[in-house]
Amino acid sequence: MRSDGFLSERQRRFAWLGFLLMASQAPLAARLVDDASWLFAVVVAVVVASVILADDAARRRPQTVEPGEPAE
């Protein structure tokens, strides 16, 4: 049996939505704005992506059974 990640399904959906919004907003801002403020959107997208990847890794990890507990 696989363990659950640390994000709920709703939080995962919001994380994906945030990632997609930031990833699509960065190129648009880079084209329209002369300064490098668009880089903040890239940094936020990378942080959200790393949280999604960490949650995926936690979900793929097999659930450990402690000694003395019945296996499901």
Side-chain angles (χ1 to χ4, degrees), residues 1 4 25 33 38-39 41 43 45 69:
M1 179 174 193
D4 291 336
Q25 188 261 347
V33 181
W38 59 270
L39 191 59
V43 171
E69 291 183 11

Side-chain angles (χ1 to χ4, degrees), residues 15-65:
W16 273 106
L17 177 65
F19 171 73
L20 293 174
L21 287 174
M22 287 291 111
S24 63
Q25 188 261 347
L28 181 66
R31 184 173 295 261
L32 297 177
V33 181
D34 291 333
D35 61 0
S37 62
W38 59 270
L39 191 59
F40 182 70
V42 173
V43 171
V44 171
V46 168
V47 169
V48 172
S50 64
V51 169
I52 293 170
L53 288 173
D55 183 60
D56 283 344
R59 287 175 186 265
R60 293 190 201 313
R61 187 174 306 134
Q63 187 175 15
T64 58
V65 178

